[in-house]
């Protein structure tokens, strides 16, 4: 009886794979480093198929056991047609019907979507967003992504590219940015900016984000202020989102969310001060629960939804 | 045979009423000045009922001819339960079950919603937004409102207060605002700010918005620049909305939209420069088509939707 699902989470530097059982639990995992061959589209597709088959073989699973493959990719995806429009960090992908290609190679139903959309689906159905009808999921990393559950449904937008929180316009008093005093939100809180700020504050060229976390843990006031300022930036962009979309929940994920406890108080304060009263009182900001597995679990949700199951 | 609908558009200073035929055409209108008795809730409700009955009498229409009453009000409305949560500009309205009250007084099914939501429904079904699945309607006036059609449905938000574009955070290089260099968008483009700016630029204390329009018509460069700057503000907030929601259409309504031709080029330019490419290329910014009648026509759409017709 077909009941397993394969989840694939394609990132800029590596690919995570997972075999999920009928209740959405990851029962086996594997990982693939993409960076060496990602510039060659055909090699990447072949590597994907090989990795899926290897995961199946390792688990003594056959095609007939698999309901479908769900795959998340870092870029705009026409999920209805299974087409990768392009991948900002992997050149050469333009309107590639990846869903159909994988499906015809492996003879397994394959569905693809944007990676942050899958994280959002995962957190919504199995993580901290369970039972919510209106939520926004924000992922903090090199870029800043977003996924929207509106009226109990993933909202993808007219061209499947909604949720670009990192490209909302943002501004800060002291900081000149891309457009005069305006800039994209991710230029204020993306990893590169965080590291650049950390280098400046601590005078250490090789500082990493986890070092600034460790310093904050030790009570270093400059590190604590560093995270507070991140929280203020996040809070300000969230105020706009909250007043526009009136969500019940905001989920913050991505690597930087490990520092949640240091930036969350500032977010709360800004929302309290600046969001409209009704909007601000009903929204909660929480850390993602599924961490690294959210995308794979979201792939499970996607396959189930697309096949009309549950 | 019941086939007529009564639309009511409650504003801060007056109430518009319309009788609409089965195809959504306004066949009779009336108007009521509210400002004198709006502070007394019961008087306002009685005046609403009297005005509806007077409109019916004037048109020789009886209760049996009316499918329903649709009513828009300037504030957050729980449209599912017909409850006015509050009205920012009319004190004393807190959790008033206005739908049920009117319905029990007049014995006609009554549905209420936020006024900008009704304008959005009107423009979507009968105006410039016909046939679109994803659009944002922005109304410029004393305040700045917004309505969202997402995935072919009016999106109201968790607490029925989505769409507060006027309360998105906005910033401008030279202008200090509510929160340091941040401020709410409507503090930059609301009527009061426009008039204050106009007074400063033209040194005329009694200047009206239509005067600045007339000056722009005559080619006055300061007036042309005045509208261009409004367009830049609007463009910047739209970039955030476009990157977040990926709509196909933006509709600009409200009194200030009369000056559309003077601020539209600046909006287009900012979107071209700052929206993400895929998002920016697929979105169009247009002026509302139904003008003053949008709310009444939206009331027709609301009643039809709520009764499950069409």
């Amino acid at each position: 009886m077909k009941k397993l699902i394969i989840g694939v989470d394609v990132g800029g530097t590596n690919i995570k794979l997972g075999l999920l059982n009928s209740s959405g639990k990851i029962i086996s995992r594997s990982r693939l480093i993409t960076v060496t061959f990602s510039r060659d589209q055909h090699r990447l597709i072949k590597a994907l198929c090989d990795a899926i088959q290897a995961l199946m073989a390792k688990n003594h699973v056959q095609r007939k056991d698999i309901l479908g493959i769900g795959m998340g990719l870092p870029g705009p995806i026409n999920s209805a047609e299974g087409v990768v429009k392009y991948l900002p960090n992997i050149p050469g992908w333009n309107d590639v019907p990846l869903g159909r290609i994988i499906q015809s190679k492996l003879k397994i139903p394959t569905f693809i979507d944007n990676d942050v959309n899958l994280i959002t689906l995962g957190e919504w159905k199995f993580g901290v967003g369970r039972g919510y009808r209106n939520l926004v999921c924000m992922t903090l990393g090199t870029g800043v992504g977003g996924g929207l559950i509106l009226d109990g449904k993933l909202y993808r937008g007219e061209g499947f590219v909604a949720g670009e929180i990192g490209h909302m316009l943002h501004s800060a008093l002291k900081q000149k940015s891309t457009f005069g005093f305006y800039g994209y939100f991710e230029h204020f809180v993306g990893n590169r900016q965080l590291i650049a700020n950390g280098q400046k504050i601590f005078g250490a060229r090789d500082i990493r984000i986890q070092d600034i976390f460790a310093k904050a843990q030790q009570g270093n006031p400059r590190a604590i202020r560093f995270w507070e300022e991140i929280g203020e930036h996040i809070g300000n962009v969230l105020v706009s989102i909250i007043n526009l979309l009136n969500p019940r929940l905001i989920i913050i994920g991505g690597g930087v969310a490990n520092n949640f406890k240091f930036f969350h108080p500032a977010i709360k304060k800004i929302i309290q001060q600046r969001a409209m009263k009704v909007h601000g009182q009903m929204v909660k900001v929480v850390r993602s629960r599924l961490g690294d597995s959210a995308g794979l679990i979201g792939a499970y949700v996607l396959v189930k939804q697309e096949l009309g199951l549950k």
Side-chain angles (χ1 to χ4, degrees), chain A:
Chain A
M1 208 184 72
K2 295 187 195 230
K3 52 189 171 131
L4 301 176
I5 282 170
I6 290 173
V8 184
D9 189 352
V10 180
T13 51
N14 66 62
I15 296 170
K16 285 174 285 191
L17 292 98
L19 183 68
L20 294 100
N21 70 12
S22 59
S23 45
K25 197 171 173 311
I26 301 172
I27 54 178
S28 177
R29 290 172 188 269
S30 68
R31 188 179 282 262
L32 197 65
I33 307 297
T34 46
V35 74
T36 50
F37 53 79
S38 69
R39 281 166 194 275
D40 182 333
Q41 191 183 117
H42 297 287
R43 277 184 69 194
L44 182 53
I45 292 171
K46 186 173 180 311
L48 278 171
C49 291
D50 290 349
I52 290 168
Q53 287 175 318
L55 182 68
M56 288 167 66
K58 189 173 89 174
N59 290 278
H60 312 291
V61 160
Q62 291 175 302
R63 200 191 302 150
K64 66 172 172 47
D65 305 314
I66 307 288
L67 269 171
I69 298 166
M71 192 177 294
L73 296 118
I77 310 293
N78 180 330
S79 59
E81 294 174 16
V83 172
V84 178
K85 300 173 98 167
Y86 66 93
L87 300 176
N89 296 311
I90 309 181
W93 287 69
N94 289 298
D95 292 314
V96 178
L98 183 65
R100 210 173 58 220
I101 293 171
I102 305 257
Q103 180 159 333
S104 77
K105 281 189 193 287
L106 298 181
K107 315 281 185 248
I108 299 172
T110 302
F111 307 97
I112 67 175
D113 205 337
N114 170 267
D115 54 355
V116 182
N117 282 348
L118 292 195
I119 290 171
T120 306
L121 284 176
E123 288 289 348
W124 177 42
K125 288 293 183 186
F126 286 88
V128 70
R130 277 179 96 140
Y132 285 86
R133 254 184 88 73
N134 297 295
L135 67 83
V136 175
C137 180
M138 175 196 276
T139 58
L140 297 166
T142 308
V144 174
L148 311 171
I149 302 292
L150 304 178
D151 279 342
K153 199 163 153 275
L154 180 68
Y155 174 73
R156 292 184 172 92
E158 181 77 19
F160 300 91
V161 291
E164 291 288 355
I165 297 175
H167 287 80
M168 292 178 72
L169 287 184
H170 186 71
S171 172
L173 180 52
K174 292 168 297 184
Q175 213 166 331
K176 271 227 177 191
S177 188
T178 324
F179 308 116
F181 275 66
Y182 279 111
Y184 292 127
F185 175 60
E186 72 183 23
H187 295 166
F188 292 83
V189 300
N191 284 353
R192 279 189 213 98
Q193 187 63 45
L194 297 198
I195 288 167
N197 289 354
Q199 287 171 335
K200 214 181 300 168
I201 293 168
F202 299 102
R205 267 196 61 192
D206 57 349
I207 201 159
R208 295 162 311 165
I209 290 171
Q210 54 266 49
D211 299 330
I212 312 174
F213 173 71
K215 281 178 194 293
Q217 285 280 36
Q218 291 152 17
N220 181 317
R222 285 178 303 166
I224 287 169
R225 177 63 199 142
F226 173 95
W227 290 114
E228 205 174 72
E229 205 174 293
I230 305 304
E232 288 165 7
H233 285 306
I234 297 171
N236 280 324
V237 90
L238 287 182
V239 164
S240 289
I241 294 173
I242 289 167
N243 287 343
L244 182 66
L245 294 180
N246 181 213
R248 182 76 183 79
L249 190 73
I250 310 270
I251 302 171
I252 299 188
V256 174
N258 292 330
N259 309 284
F260 188 76
K261 70 170 174 182
F262 289 117
F263 60 70
H264 181 228
I267 295 177
K268 264 182 87 166
K269 198 171 139 201
I270 295 272
I271 291 174
Q272 219 159 30
Q273 287 172 344
R274 303 182 177 183
M276 293 178 85
K277 210 173 146 198
V278 178
H279 301 65
Q281 280 173 346
M282 65 169 46
V283 73
K284 221 166 52 178
V285 180
V286 296
R287 186 186 167 175
S288 68
R289 184 178 294 160
L290 304 178
D292 228 19
S293 305
L296 296 179
I297 295 171
Y300 168 92
V301 177
L302 178 74
V303 172
K304 287 275 186 147
Q305 281 191 347
E306 292 295 322
L307 293 174
L309 305 167
K310 290 205 299 192

